[in-house]
Amino acid sequence: MSATSLEAQRQHNTSLSVSRLPPEIFTQIFINLAFIDPPLPCNGTEFRAKIGWIAVTHVCQRWRHIALQDPIIWASNISVPSVLGPRWASTFLSRAQSCPLTIQ
């Protein structure tokens, strides 16, 4: 995509109703989504594990920023990294910052 089309897409995205929601609403949605759509290990027919709710960090810059900047999301889902591998455990702990952890 050219810089012009990227800027046009960004302007379109910011004009959508969902773009006016406050970050706190997104955080609650992401926390709920984490329980509904957890990452899953590969099942033999899949090459890689499915990242589940973590896919929201791939939707747009705003969603990624909101998800990455809220340590509660990551502190509440510490059981997830065991499915995805040890590198994810380190990532979750780093993103959880100093929040109390919920480990299952």
Side-chain angles (χ1 to χ4, degrees):
M1 284 185 130
S2 70
T4 304
S5 60
L6 284 173
E7 179 59 25
Q9 182 66 44
R10 187 193 67 75
Q11 286 178 356
H12 169 72
N13 289 347
T14 57
S15 70
L16 299 173
S17 299
V18 70
S19 296
R20 289 185 283 251
L21 290 173
E24 297 81 11
I25 299 295
F26 281 104
T27 298
Q28 286 304 308
I29 291 169
F30 297 163
I31 288 170
N32 289 325
L33 185 59
F35 290 103
I36 296 168
D37 188 20
L40 300 171
C42 55
N43 61 12
T45 61
E46 307 278 333
F47 178 67
R48 292 192 261 176
K50 295 184 179 185
I51 62 171
W53 72 272
I54 299 168
V56 301
T57 65
H58 301 189
V59 172
C60 67
Q61 286 182 329
R62 182 164 188 245
W63 288 22
R64 180 172 181 78
H65 178 77
I66 291 168
L68 294 181
Q69 297 304 309
D70 196 317
I72 294 169
I73 296 170
W74 304 94
S76 302
N77 296 291
I78 297 299
S79 62
V80 170
S82 64
V83 170
L84 299 175
R87 285 181 48 207
W88 277 95
S90 175
T91 299
F92 270 62
L93 289 171
S94 172
R95 291 178 181 169
Q97 299 175 17
S98 61
C99 280
L101 303 177
T102 301
I103 302 174
Q104 297 179 1

